[in-house]
Amino acid sequence: RKRVAILISGRGSNMSALIEAAKAPDYPAEIVGVFSNRAAAKGLETAAAEGIATKSLAQSSYESREAFDDAIGQVLEAWQVDIVCLAGFMRIFTPRFVERWQGRIINIHPSLLPLYRGLDTHARALADKVAEHGCSVHFVTPGLDEGPVILQAKVPVLSDDTPETLAARVLVEEHRLYPEALRKLAAGEVRP
Ligand code: GAR
């Protein structure tokens, strides 16, 4: 089984979906650690309660973004990680870090990429009056939310949607999509 680390910054509901999926005996990956750049991230408590190793480090303790990325890399190496899953990790990596993990680092993003890269995806989709919205799991490359898409899921946009109701509908799909995408990568069914 491939050894997977999940990187979070907050709630960690996608993290929980990955942890649950990996409990299946035939799942090709195991979650060996959860890292956060915010010590207060709720998901760290959830992961610890599951008996998973956790670690948090703050960017403010490092003199540069490169130095912080090196420290994260050392955590991943100590856990002997094969695959990195970003799940609500609200920080952009330096190109050197991304290149080091290229093909082995994936992210979930709440839009139908290449539409709505970056933040506030649900509000922007509503402002554009799109008929459908969704989420994407993609390989991480140095450009923000630009890497090749592995899987996408669509949801309808309803006339009375708010960013919150739309986000909730998308999140249900995220929790289904991310475990499926990780399964494909860990099983060698997808390549960047
Ligand atoms: C998820 O909706 C995820 O797609 C999004 O943040 C949320 C994290 O929720 N990620 C991004 O916007 C990345 N730019 P979670 O912590 O409950 O998984």
Side-chain angles (χ1 to χ4, degrees):
R1 304 221 287 166
K2 297 289 189 195
R3 296 175 61 83
V4 174
I6 305 172
L7 274 51
I8 63 170
S9 297
R11 176 177 62 184
S13 70
N14 278 290
M15 174 206 77
S16 291
L18 293 172
I19 291 171
E20 286 307 311
K23 288 178 182 173
D26 61 345
Y27 197 79
E30 62 179 314
I31 312 305
V32 299
V34 172
F35 173 85
S36 179
N37 62 331
R38 286 186 50 237
K42 270 277 168 216
L44 286 175
E45 293 167 32
T46 315
E50 292 281 348
I52 295 170
T54 62
K55 179 84 180 167
S56 72
L57 297 172
Q59 162 88 66
S60 56
S61 310
Y62 296 86
E63 63 184 9
S64 66
R65 296 181 60 238
E66 286 77 10
F68 186 47
D69 282 357
D70 286 346
I72 296 174
Q74 282 165 18
V75 172
L76 300 178
E77 270 158 39
W79 286 338
Q80 299 184 297
V81 165
D82 300 308
I83 295 172
V84 177
C85 290
L86 308 183
F89 189 65
M90 304 310 250
R91 181 176 174 275
I92 299 169
F93 283 112
T94 56
R96 191 179 65 176
F97 182 93
V98 172
E99 276 151 26
R100 157 102 173 67
W101 289 92
Q102 195 113 41
R104 304 189 295 142
I105 181 168
I106 61 178
N107 178 45
I108 188 153
H109 183 74
S111 78
L112 296 173
L113 291 173
L115 296 173
Y116 308 116
R117 294 175 174 136
L119 298 175
D120 299 322
T121 58
H122 308 301
R124 287 155 59 207
L126 288 178
D128 287 347
K129 302 193 185 309
V130 294
E132 53 183 19
H133 187 48
C135 52
S136 308
V137 177
H138 65 96
F139 285 105
V140 174
T141 59
L144 179 66
D145 301 328
E146 281 183 2
V149 169
I150 299 170
L151 286 176
Q152 286 184 321
K154 292 179 181 175
V155 301
V157 176
L158 307 183
S159 58
D160 59 351
D161 263 333
T162 64
E164 291 73 28
T165 60
L166 182 56
R169 192 174 309 118
V170 171
L171 194 64
V172 172
E173 293 304 312
E174 292 185 40
H175 295 165
R176 187 182 60 74
L177 195 71
Y178 211 172
E180 179 58 16
L182 175 59
R183 190 196 64 72
K184 281 182 176 293
L185 178 62
E189 291 173 19
V190 284
R191 270 162 228 289

